[in-house]
Coordinates of all heavy atoms in Angstrom, one line a residue:
M171 N 122.8 97.4 97.6 CA 122.1 97.0 98.8 C 121.5 98.2 99.5 O 122.1 99.3 99.6 CB 123.1 96.3 99.8 CG 122.6 96.1 101.2 SD 121.8 94.5 101.5 CE 123.1 93.4 101.1
G172 N 120.2 98.1 99.9 CA 119.5 99.2 100.5 C 119.9 99.4 102.0 O 120.6 98.6 102.6
K173 N 119.5 100.5 102.5 CA 119.7 100.8 103.9 C 118.7 101.7 104.5 O 118.0 102.5 103.8 CB 121.1 101.4 104.1 CG 121.3 102.8 103.6 CD 122.6 103.4 103.9 CE 122.8 104.7 103.3 NZ 124.1 105.3 103.5
F174 N 118.4 101.5 105.8 CA 117.5 102.4 106.5 C 118.4 103.4 107.2 O 119.4 103.1 107.8 CB 116.8 101.6 107.6 CG 115.7 100.7 107.1 CD1 116.0 99.3 106.9 CD2 114.4 101.1 106.8 CE1 115.0 98.5 106.4 CE2 113.4 100.3 106.4 CZ 113.7 99.0 106.1
E175 N 118.0 104.7 107.1 CA 118.6 105.7 107.8 C 117.7 106.3 108.9 O 116.5 106.7 108.5 CB 119.1 106.8 106.9 CG 120.2 106.4 106.0 CD 120.7 107.5 105.1 OE1 120.0 108.6 104.9 OE2 121.8 107.3 104.5
I176 N 118.1 106.3 110.1 CA 117.3 106.9 111.2 C 117.8 108.3 111.4 O 119.0 108.6 111.6 CB 117.4 106.1 112.5 CG1 116.9 104.7 112.3 CG2 116.7 106.8 113.6 CD1 117.1 103.8 113.5
N177 N 116.9 109.3 111.5 CA 117.3 110.7 111.8 C 116.2 111.2 112.8 O 115.2 110.6 113.0 CB 117.5 111.5 110.6 CG 116.2 111.6 109.7 OD1 115.1 111.8 110.2 ND2 116.3 111.3 108.5
T178 N 116.6 112.4 113.3 CA 115.7 113.1 114.3 C 115.2 114.4 113.6 O 116.0 115.1 113.1 CB 116.4 113.4 115.6 OG1 117.0 112.3 116.1 CG2 115.4 113.9 116.6
D179 N 113.9 114.6 113.6 CA 113.4 115.8 112.9 C 113.4 117.0 113.9 O 113.8 116.9 115.0 CB 112.0 115.6 112.3 CG 110.9 115.3 113.4 OD1 111.1 115.6 114.6 OD2 109.8 114.8 113.0
K180 N 113.0 118.2 113.4 CA 113.0 119.4 114.2 C 112.2 119.3 115.4 O 112.5 120.0 116.4 CB 112.6 120.6 113.3 CG 113.5 120.9 112.2 CD 113.0 122.1 111.4 CE 113.9 122.3 110.2 NZ 113.4 123.3 109.3
A181 N 111.2 118.5 115.4 CA 110.3 118.3 116.6 C 110.8 117.3 117.6 O 110.2 117.0 118.6 CB 108.9 117.9 116.2
G182 N 112.0 116.7 117.3 CA 112.6 115.7 118.2 C 112.1 114.3 118.0 O 112.4 113.4 118.8
K183 N 111.3 114.1 116.9 CA 110.8 112.7 116.6 C 111.8 112.0 115.8 O 112.5 112.6 114.9 CB 109.5 112.8 116.0 CG 108.4 113.4 116.9 CD 107.0 113.0 116.4 CE 106.1 113.6 117.5 NZ 104.9 112.8 117.6
F184 N 111.8 110.7 115.9 CA 112.7 109.8 115.2 C 111.9 109.3 113.9 O 110.7 109.0 114.0 CB 113.1 108.6 116.0 CG 113.9 108.9 117.1 CD1 113.4 109.2 118.4 CD2 115.3 108.9 117.0 CE1 114.2 109.5 119.5 CE2 116.1 109.2 118.1 CZ 115.6 109.5 119.3
R185 N 112.6 109.4 112.8 CA 112.1 109.0 111.5 C 113.1 108.1 110.8 O 114.3 108.2 111.0 CB 111.7 110.2 110.6 CG 110.7 111.1 111.2 CD 110.4 112.3 110.3 NE 109.4 113.1 110.9 CZ 108.1 113.0 110.7 NH1 107.6 112.0 109.9 NH2 107.2 113.8 111.3
F186 N 112.6 107.2 109.9 CA 113.5 106.5 109.0 C 113.2 106.7 107.6 O 112.0 106.9 107.2 CB 113.6 105.0 109.4 CG 112.3 104.2 109.2 CD1 112.0 103.8 107.9 CD2 111.5 103.9 110.2 CE1 110.8 103.1 107.7 CE2 110.3 103.2 110.0 CZ 110.0 102.8 108.7
N187 N 114.2 106.6 106.8 CA 114.0 106.5 105.3 C 114.7 105.2 104.9 O 115.8 104.8 105.3 CB 114.7 107.6 104.6 CG 114.0 108.9 104.8 OD1 112.8 109.0 104.7 ND2 114.7 110.0 105.0
L188 N 114.0 104.5 104.0 CA 114.6 103.3 103.3 C 115.1 103.8 102.0 O 114.4 104.4 101.2 CB 113.6 102.2 103.1 CG 114.1 101.0 102.2 CD1 115.3 100.3 102.9 CD2 112.9 100.0 102.0
K189 N 116.5 103.6 101.8 CA 117.1 104.1 100.6 C 117.5 102.9 99.8 O 118.0 101.9 100.3 CB 118.3 104.9 100.9 CG 118.0 106.3 101.5 CD 119.2 107.2 101.6 CE 118.8 108.6 102.0 NZ 120.0 109.5 102.0
A190 N 117.4 103.0 98.4 CA 117.8 101.9 97.5 C 119.4 102.0 97.4 O 120.0 103.0 97.9 CB 117.2 102.1 96.2
G191 N 120.0 101.1 96.8 CA 121.4 101.1 96.6 C 122.0 102.3 95.9 O 123.1 102.7 96.2
N192 N 121.1 103.0 95.1 CA 121.6 104.2 94.4 C 121.4 105.5 95.3 O 121.7 106.6 94.8 CB 120.8 104.4 93.1 CG 119.3 104.6 93.3 OD1 118.8 104.7 94.4 ND2 118.6 104.7 92.2
G193 N 120.9 105.3 96.5 CA 120.8 106.4 97.5 C 119.4 107.1 97.4 O 119.2 108.0 98.2
Q194 N 118.6 106.7 96.5 CA 117.2 107.3 96.4 C 116.3 106.8 97.5 O 116.3 105.6 97.8 CB 116.6 107.0 95.0 CG 115.3 107.6 94.8 CD 114.7 107.4 93.4 OE1 115.3 106.7 92.6 NE2 113.6 107.9 93.2
V195 N 115.6 107.7 98.1 CA 114.6 107.3 99.2 C 113.4 106.7 98.5 O 112.8 107.2 97.6 CB 114.1 108.6 100.0 CG1 113.0 108.2 101.0 CG2 115.3 109.2 100.7
I196 N 113.1 105.4 99.0 CA 112.0 104.7 98.4 C 110.8 104.5 99.4 O 109.7 104.1 99.0 CB 112.4 103.3 97.8 CG1 113.2 102.5 98.8 CG2 113.2 103.6 96.5 CD1 113.7 101.2 98.3
L197 N 111.1 104.8 100.7 CA 110.0 104.7 101.7 C 110.4 105.6 102.9 O 111.5 105.5 103.3 CB 109.8 103.2 102.2 CG 108.6 102.9 103.0 CD1 107.4 102.9 102.1 CD2 108.7 101.5 103.6
S198 N 109.4 106.3 103.4 CA 109.6 107.2 104.6 C 108.6 106.9 105.7 O 107.5 106.5 105.4 CB 109.5 108.6 104.2 OG 110.5 109.0 103.2
S199 N 109.1 107.0 106.9 CA 108.2 106.7 108.0 C 107.5 107.9 108.6 O 107.8 109.1 108.3 CB 109.0 106.1 109.2 OG 109.8 107.1 109.8
Q200 N 106.6 107.6 109.5 CA 106.0 108.7 110.3 C 107.0 109.1 111.4 O 108.1 108.5 111.5 CB 104.8 108.1 111.0 CG 105.2 106.9 112.0 CD 104.0 106.3 112.7 OE1 102.8 106.4 112.3 NE2 104.2 105.5 113.7
G201 N 106.7 110.0 112.3 CA 107.5 110.4 113.4 C 107.3 109.5 114.6 O 106.1 109.2 114.9
Y202 N 108.3 109.0 115.2 CA 108.2 108.1 116.4 C 108.8 108.9 117.6 O 109.7 109.7 117.5 CB 109.0 106.9 116.2 CG 108.5 105.9 115.2 CD1 109.0 106.0 113.9 CD2 107.5 105.0 115.5 CE1 108.5 105.1 112.9 CE2 107.0 104.1 114.5 CZ 107.5 104.2 113.2 OH 107.1 103.3 112.3
T203 N 108.2 108.7 118.8 CA 108.6 109.4 120.0 C 110.0 108.9 120.5 O 110.7 109.6 121.2 CB 107.6 109.4 121.1 OG1 107.2 108.1 121.3 CG2 106.4 110.2 120.6
T204 N 110.3 107.6 120.3 CA 111.5 107.0 120.8 C 112.2 106.3 119.6 O 111.6 105.9 118.7 CB 111.2 106.0 121.9 OG1 110.5 104.9 121.3 CG2 110.4 106.6 123.0
K205 N 113.5 106.2 119.8 CA 114.4 105.5 118.8 C 114.0 104.0 118.8 O 113.9 103.4 117.7 CB 115.9 105.6 119.2 CG 116.8 105.0 118.2 CD 118.2 105.1 118.6 CE 119.1 104.3 117.7 NZ 120.5 104.3 118.2
S206 N 113.6 103.4 119.9 CA 113.2 102.0 120.0 C 112.0 101.8 119.1 O 111.9 100.8 118.4 CB 113.0 101.6 121.4 OG 112.4 100.4 121.5
A207 N 111.0 102.7 119.2 CA 109.8 102.6 118.4 C 110.1 102.7 116.9 O 109.5 102.0 116.1 CB 108.8 103.7 118.8
C208 N 111.0 103.6 116.6 CA 111.4 103.7 115.2 C 112.1 102.5 114.7 O 111.8 102.0 113.6 CB 112.4 104.9 115.1 SG 112.9 105.4 113.4
E209 N 112.9 101.8 115.5 CA 113.6 100.6 115.2 C 112.5 99.5 115.0 O 112.7 98.6 114.1 CB 114.6 100.2 116.2 CG 115.8 101.1 116.1 CD 116.8 101.0 117.3 OE1 116.3 100.5 118.4 OE2 117.9 101.3 117.2
N210 N 111.5 99.5 115.8 CA 110.4 98.5 115.7 C 109.7 98.7 114.3 O 109.3 97.8 113.7 CB 109.4 98.6 116.8 CG 110.0 98.1 118.1 OD1 110.9 97.3 118.1 ND2 109.3 98.5 119.2
G211 N 109.5 100.0 113.9 CA 109.0 100.3 112.6 C 109.8 99.8 111.5 O 109.2 99.2 110.5
I212 N 111.1 99.8 111.6 CA 112.0 99.3 110.6 C 111.8 97.8 110.5 O 111.7 97.2 109.4 CB 113.4 99.6 110.9 CG1 113.7 101.1 110.6 CG2 114.4 98.8 110.0 CD1 115.0 101.7 111.1
E213 N 111.7 97.1 111.6 CA 111.5 95.6 111.6 C 110.2 95.3 111.0 O 110.1 94.3 110.3 CB 111.6 95.1 113.1 CG 113.0 95.1 113.6 CD 114.0 94.4 112.7 OE1 113.8 93.3 112.3 OE2 115.1 95.0 112.5
S214 N 109.2 96.1 111.2 CA 107.9 95.9 110.7 C 107.9 96.1 109.1 O 107.3 95.3 108.4 CB 106.9 96.9 111.3 OG 105.5 96.6 110.9
V215 N 108.7 97.0 108.6 CA 108.8 97.2 107.2 C 109.5 95.9 106.6 O 109.1 95.4 105.6 CB 109.7 98.4 106.8 CG1 110.1 98.4 105.4 CG2 108.9 99.7 107.2
K216 N 110.6 95.5 107.3 CA 111.3 94.3 106.8 C 110.3 93.1 106.7 O 110.4 92.3 105.7 CB 112.4 93.9 107.7 CG 113.6 94.9 107.6 CD 114.7 94.5 108.5 CE 115.9 95.4 108.3 NZ 117.2 94.9 109.0
K217 N 109.5 93.0 107.7 CA 108.5 91.8 107.7 C 107.4 92.0 106.7 O 107.1 91.1 105.9 CB 108.0 91.7 109.1 CG 106.9 90.7 109.3 CD 106.3 90.7 110.7 CE 105.1 89.8 110.9 NZ 104.5 89.9 112.2
H218 N 106.8 93.2 106.7 CA 105.5 93.3 105.9 C 105.8 93.7 104.4 O 104.9 93.6 103.6 CB 104.6 94.4 106.6 CG 104.1 93.9 107.9 ND1 104.7 94.3 109.1 CD2 103.0 93.2 108.2 CE1 104.0 93.7 110.0 NE2 103.0 93.1 109.5
S219 N 107.0 94.0 104.1 CA 107.3 94.4 102.7 C 107.3 93.2 101.7 O 107.3 93.4 100.5 CB 108.6 95.2 102.6 OG 109.7 94.3 103.0
Q220 N 107.2 92.0 102.2 CA 107.3 90.9 101.4 C 105.9 90.4 100.9 O 105.8 89.5 100.0 CB 108.1 89.7 102.1 CG 109.5 90.1 102.4 CD 110.2 90.7 101.2 OE1 110.5 90.0 100.2 NE2 110.5 92.0 101.2
D221 N 104.9 91.0 101.4 CA 103.5 90.6 101.0 C 102.9 91.8 100.2 O 102.6 92.8 100.8 CB 102.7 90.3 102.3 CG 101.3 89.8 102.0 OD1 100.8 89.9 100.8 OD2 100.6 89.3 102.9
D222 N 102.6 91.5 99.0 CA 102.0 92.6 98.1 C 100.7 93.1 98.6 O 100.4 94.3 98.4 CB 101.9 92.0 96.7 CG 101.6 93.2 95.7 OD1 102.5 94.0 95.4 OD2 100.5 93.2 95.2
D223 N 100.0 92.3 99.4 CA 98.7 92.8 99.9 C 98.9 93.9 100.9 O 97.9 94.6 101.3 CB 97.9 91.6 100.6 CG 97.4 90.6 99.6 OD1 97.3 90.9 98.4 OD2 97.1 89.5 100.0
N224 N 100.1 94.1 101.5 CA 100.3 95.2 102.4 C 100.6 96.5 101.8 O 100.8 97.5 102.5 CB 101.5 94.8 103.4 CG 101.1 93.6 104.2 OD1 100.0 93.4 104.7 ND2 102.1 92.8 104.5
F225 N 100.7 96.5 100.5 CA 101.0 97.8 99.7 C 99.6 98.3 99.3 O 98.9 97.7 98.5 CB 101.9 97.5 98.5 CG 103.3 97.3 98.9 CD1 103.8 96.0 99.1 CD2 104.2 98.3 99.1 CE1 105.1 95.7 99.5 CE2 105.5 98.1 99.5 CZ 106.0 96.8 99.7
E226 N 99.3 99.5 99.7 CA 98.1 100.2 99.4 C 98.5 101.3 98.3 O 99.2 102.2 98.5 CB 97.5 100.9 100.6 CG 96.3 101.8 100.3 CD 95.9 102.5 101.6 OE1 96.6 103.5 102.0 OE2 94.9 102.1 102.2
R227 N 98.0 101.0 97.1 CA 98.2 101.9 96.0 C 97.2 103.0 95.9 O 96.0 102.8 96.0 CB 98.2 101.1 94.7 CG 99.4 100.1 94.6 CD 99.1 98.9 93.8 NE 100.2 98.1 93.5 CZ 100.6 97.1 94.3 NH1 99.9 96.8 95.4 NH2 101.7 96.3 94.0
N228 N 97.7 104.3 95.9 CA 96.8 105.4 95.9 C 97.1 106.4 94.8 O 98.2 106.3 94.2 CB 97.0 106.2 97.3 CG 96.6 105.3 98.4 OD1 95.5 104.8 98.5 ND2 97.5 105.2 99.4
T229 N 96.2 107.4 94.7 CA 96.4 108.5 93.7 C 96.2 109.8 94.5 O 95.1 110.0 95.1 CB 95.5 108.4 92.5 OG1 95.6 107.1 91.9 CG2 95.8 109.5 91.5
A230 N 97.1 110.7 94.4 CA 97.0 112.0 95.0 C 96.0 112.9 94.3 O 95.6 112.6 93.1 CB 98.4 112.7 95.1
K231 N 95.6 114.0 94.9 CA 94.7 114.9 94.2 C 95.1 115.4 92.9 O 94.3 115.6 92.0 CB 94.4 116.1 95.2 CG 93.6 115.7 96.4 CD 93.3 117.0 97.2 CE 92.5 116.5 98.5 NZ 92.3 117.6 99.4
D232 N 96.5 115.5 92.7 CA 97.0 116.0 91.4 C 97.2 114.9 90.4 O 97.7 115.1 89.3 CB 98.3 116.8 91.6 CG 99.5 115.9 92.0 OD1 99.3 114.7 92.2 OD2 100.6 116.4 92.2
G233 N 96.7 113.7 90.8 CA 96.8 112.5 89.9 C 98.1 111.7 90.0 O 98.2 110.7 89.3
S234 N 99.0 112.1 90.9 CA 100.3 111.4 91.0 C 100.0 110.1 91.8 O 99.4 110.1 92.9 CB 101.3 112.2 91.8 OG 101.6 113.4 91.1
P235 N 100.5 109.0 91.3 CA 100.4 107.7 92.1 C 101.5 107.7 93.2 O 102.6 108.2 93.1 CB 100.7 106.6 91.0 CG 101.1 107.3 89.8 CD 101.1 108.8 90.0
Y236 N 101.1 107.0 94.3 CA 102.0 106.8 95.4 C 101.5 105.6 96.2 O 100.4 105.1 95.9 CB 102.1 108.0 96.3 CG 100.8 108.3 97.2 CD1 100.8 107.9 98.5 CD2 99.7 109.0 96.6 CE1 99.6 108.1 99.3 CE2 98.6 109.2 97.4 CZ 98.5 108.8 98.7 OH 97.4 109.0 99.4
F237 N 102.3 105.1 97.1 CA 101.8 103.9 97.9 C 102.1 104.1 99.4 O 103.0 104.8 99.7 CB 102.4 102.6 97.3 CG 103.9 102.5 97.5 CD1 104.5 102.0 98.6 CD2 104.7 102.9 96.4 CE1 105.9 102.0 98.7 CE2 106.1 102.8 96.5 CZ 106.7 102.3 97.7
N238 N 101.4 103.3 100.2 CA 101.6 103.2 101.6 C 101.9 101.7 101.9 O 101.3 100.9 101.2 CB 100.4 103.6 102.4 CG 100.2 105.1 102.4 OD1 101.1 105.9 102.3 ND2 98.9 105.5 102.3
L239 N 102.8 101.5 102.8 CA 103.0 100.1 103.3 C 102.3 100.0 104.6 O 102.6 100.8 105.5 CB 104.5 99.8 103.4 CG 104.9 98.4 104.0 CD1 104.3 97.3 103.2 CD2 106.4 98.3 104.2
K240 N 101.5 99.0 104.7 CA 100.7 98.8 106.0 C 101.1 97.5 106.7 O 101.5 96.5 106.1 CB 99.2 98.7 105.7 CG 98.6 100.1 105.2 CD 97.1 100.0 105.1 CE 96.5 101.3 104.9 NZ 95.1 101.3 105.0
A241 N 101.0 97.6 108.0 CA 101.3 96.4 108.9 C 100.0 95.6 108.8 O 99.0 96.0 108.3 CB 101.6 96.8 110.3
S242 N 100.1 94.4 109.4 CA 98.9 93.5 109.3 C 97.7 94.0 110.1 O 96.6 93.6 109.9 CB 99.3 92.1 109.9 OG 100.0 92.2 111.1
N243 N 98.0 95.0 111.0 CA 96.9 95.6 111.8 C 96.2 96.8 111.0 O 95.4 97.4 111.5 CB 97.3 96.0 113.2 CG 98.4 97.1 113.1 OD1 98.7 97.6 112.0 ND2 98.9 97.5 114.3
G244 N 96.8 97.0 109.8 CA 96.2 98.1 109.0 C 96.9 99.5 109.2 O 96.6 100.4 108.5
Q245 N 97.8 99.6 110.1 CA 98.5 100.8 110.4 C 99.6 101.1 109.3 O 100.3 100.2 108.9 CB 99.1 100.8 111.8 CG 99.8 102.1 112.1 CD 100.4 102.1 113.5 OE1 100.2 101.2 114.3 NE2 101.0 103.2 113.9
V246 N 99.6 102.3 108.8 CA 100.6 102.7 107.8 C 102.0 102.8 108.5 O 102.1 103.4 109.5 CB 100.3 104.0 107.2 CG1 101.4 104.5 106.2 CG2 99.0 103.9 106.4
I247 N 103.0 102.1 108.0 CA 104.3 102.1 108.5 C 105.3 102.8 107.6 O 106.4 103.1 108.0 CB 104.8 100.7 108.9 CG1 104.6 99.7 107.7 CG2 104.2 100.2 110.2 CD1 105.1 98.3 108.0
G248 N 104.9 103.1 106.4 CA 105.8 103.9 105.5 C 105.0 104.3 104.3 O 104.0 103.7 103.9
N249 N 105.5 105.5 103.8 CA 104.8 105.9 102.5 C 105.9 106.3 101.5 O 107.1 106.6 101.9 CB 103.8 107.1 102.8 CG 104.4 108.1 103.7 OD1 105.5 108.5 103.6 ND2 103.6 108.6 104.6
S250 N 105.5 106.3 100.3 CA 106.4 106.6 99.2 C 106.4 108.1 98.8 O 105.5 108.8 99.2 CB 106.0 105.8 98.0 OG 104.9 106.3 97.3
E251 N 107.2 108.4 97.9 CA 107.2 109.7 97.2 C 106.0 109.7 96.2 O 105.4 108.6 96.0 CB 108.5 110.0 96.5 CG 108.7 109.0 95.3 CD 110.0 109.2 94.6 OE1 110.8 110.1 95.0 OE2 110.3 108.4 93.7
M252 N 105.8 110.8 95.5 CA 104.8 110.8 94.4 C 105.6 110.4 93.2 O 106.7 110.8 92.9 CB 104.3 112.3 94.3 CG 103.5 112.8 95.5 SD 102.0 111.8 95.8 CE 101.6 112.3 97.4
Y253 N 104.9 109.6 92.4 CA 105.5 109.1 91.1 C 104.8 109.7 89.9 O 103.7 110.2 90.0 CB 105.3 107.6 91.1 CG 106.2 106.9 92.1 CD1 105.7 106.5 93.3 CD2 107.6 106.6 91.8 CE1 106.5 105.8 94.2 CE2 108.4 106.0 92.7 CZ 107.9 105.6 93.9 OH 108.7 104.9 94.8
S254 N 105.5 109.7 88.8 CA 105.0 110.2 87.6 C 104.0 109.3 86.8 O 103.3 109.7 86.0 CB 106.2 110.6 86.6 OG 107.0 109.5 86.4
S255 N 104.1 108.0 87.1 CA 103.2 107.0 86.5 C 103.0 105.8 87.3 O 103.7 105.6 88.3 CB 103.9 106.6 85.1 OG 105.1 105.8 85.4
D256 N 102.0 105.0 87.0 CA 101.7 103.8 87.7 C 102.9 102.8 87.6 O 103.2 102.2 88.6 CB 100.4 103.1 87.2 CG 99.2 103.9 87.7 OD1 99.2 104.7 88.6 OD2 98.1 103.6 87.0
S257 N 103.5 102.8 86.5 CA 104.6 101.8 86.3 C 105.8 102.3 87.2 O 106.5 101.4 87.7 CB 105.0 101.7 84.8 OG 105.5 102.9 84.3
A258 N 106.0 103.6 87.3 CA 107.1 104.0 88.2 C 106.8 103.7 89.6 O 107.7 103.3 90.4 CB 107.3 105.6 88.0
M259 N 105.5 103.8 90.0 CA 105.1 103.4 91.4 C 105.4 101.9 91.6 O 105.9 101.5 92.6 CB 103.7 103.8 91.6 CG 103.2 103.3 93.0 SD 101.4 103.5 93.2 CE 100.7 102.4 92.0
E260 N 105.0 101.1 90.6 CA 105.2 99.7 90.8 C 106.7 99.3 90.9 O 107.1 98.4 91.6 CB 104.6 98.9 89.6 CG 103.0 99.0 89.6 CD 102.4 98.3 90.8 OE1 102.9 97.4 91.4 OE2 101.3 98.8 91.2
N261 N 107.5 100.1 90.2 CA 109.0 99.9 90.3 C 109.4 100.3 91.7 O 110.3 99.6 92.3 CB 109.7 100.8 89.3 CG 109.6 100.2 87.9 OD1 109.3 99.1 87.7 ND2 109.9 101.1 86.9
G262 N 108.8 101.3 92.3 CA 109.1 101.7 93.7 C 108.8 100.6 94.7 O 109.5 100.3 95.6
I263 N 107.6 100.0 94.5 CA 107.2 98.9 95.3 C 108.1 97.7 95.2 O 108.5 97.1 96.2 CB 105.7 98.5 95.0 CG1 104.7 99.6 95.4 CG2 105.3 97.1 95.6 CD1 103.3 99.4 95.0
A264 N 108.5 97.4 94.0 CA 109.5 96.3 93.7 C 110.8 96.6 94.4 O 111.4 95.7 95.0 CB 109.7 96.1 92.2
S265 N 111.2 97.8 94.4 CA 112.4 98.2 95.1 C 112.4 98.1 96.6 O 113.3 97.6 97.2 CB 112.8 99.7 94.7 OG 114.1 100.0 95.2
V266 N 111.2 98.4 97.2 CA 111.0 98.2 98.6 C 111.1 96.7 98.9 O 111.8 96.3 99.9 CB 109.7 98.8 99.1 CG1 109.4 98.4 100.6 CG2 109.7 100.3 99.0
K267 N 110.4 95.9 98.1 CA 110.4 94.4 98.4 C 111.8 93.9 98.3 O 112.2 93.0 99.1 CB 109.5 93.7 97.3 CG 108.1 94.0 97.5 CD 107.3 93.3 96.4 CE 105.8 93.5 96.5 NZ 105.1 92.9 95.4
K268 N 112.6 94.4 97.4 CA 114.0 93.9 97.1 C 114.9 94.4 98.2 O 115.8 93.6 98.7 CB 114.5 94.4 95.8 CG 115.9 94.0 95.5 CD 116.3 94.6 94.1 CE 117.8 94.5 94.0 NZ 118.3 95.3 92.9
N269 N 114.8 95.6 98.6 CA 115.8 96.3 99.5 C 115.6 96.1 101.0 O 116.5 96.0 101.8 CB 116.0 97.7 99.1 CG 116.8 98.0 97.9 OD1 118.0 97.8 97.8 ND2 116.0 98.3 96.8
A270 N 114.3 96.1 101.4 CA 114.0 96.1 102.8 C 114.5 95.0 103.6 O 115.1 95.2 104.7 CB 112.5 96.3 103.0
P271 N 114.3 93.7 103.2 CA 114.6 92.6 104.1 C 116.1 92.5 104.6 O 116.3 92.2 105.8 CB 114.3 91.3 103.2 CG 113.4 91.8 102.2 CD 113.8 93.2 101.9
D272 N 117.0 92.9 103.8 CA 118.4 92.8 104.2 C 119.1 94.1 104.4 O 120.3 94.2 104.5 CB 119.2 92.0 103.1 CG 118.6 90.6 103.0 OD1 118.3 89.9 104.0 OD2 118.5 90.1 101.8
A273 N 118.3 95.2 104.4 CA 118.9 96.5 104.5 C 119.6 96.7 105.9 O 119.1 96.3 106.9 CB 117.8 97.6 104.3
S274 N 120.7 97.4 105.9 CA 121.4 97.8 107.1 C 120.7 98.9 107.7 O 119.8 99.6 107.1 CB 122.8 98.1 106.8 OG 122.9 99.2 105.9
V275 N 121.0 99.3 109.0 CA 120.4 100.4 109.7 C 121.5 101.3 110.1 O 122.5 100.9 110.7 CB 119.6 99.9 110.9 CG1 119.0 101.1 111.6 CG2 118.5 99.0 110.5
E276 N 121.4 102.6 109.8 CA 122.4 103.6 110.1 C 121.7 104.8 110.8 O 120.6 105.2 110.4 CB 123.0 104.2 108.8 CG 124.4 103.7 108.5 CD 124.9 104.3 107.2 OE1 124.9 105.6 107.2 OE2 125.2 103.6 106.3
E277 N 122.3 105.3 111.8 CA 121.8 106.5 112.5 C 122.5 107.7 112.0 O 123.7 107.8 111.9 CB 121.9 106.4 114.0 CG 121.2 107.5 114.7 CD 121.0 107.2 116.2 OE1 121.4 106.1 116.7 OE2 120.6 108.2 116.9
I278 N 121.7 108.7 111.5 CA 122.3 109.9 110.9 C 122.0 111.0 111.9 O 120.9 111.2 112.4 CB 121.5 110.3 109.6 CG1 121.5 109.1 108.6 CG2 122.1 111.5 109.0 CD1 122.9 108.7 108.1
S279 N 123.1 111.7 112.3 CA 122.9 112.8 113.3 C 122.9 114.1 112.7 O 123.2 114.3 111.5 CB 123.9 112.7 114.4 OG 125.2 112.6 113.8

């Protein structure tokens, strides 16, 4: 079972990571100014991760595939790591779809 971990970065912003059951980070957020906004971002991931149209598949300058998860308004709510292949990226998307809806939320200090 996956989980969202909320932490605070050096600039004092709240961020979350969605981790798969094996502990690997599969989606990371932007920085939020409040914990409440960060929690809203998590709810948005849970909601929008079930529609494949919300996943924007991209290629980095070095050729590495990665994806962004977007809300219905087009705003990016999470991004992935860089992957070694398109199939690995698709596995990452499948993992987000599987883990996000029922993931628990933990605050890491």
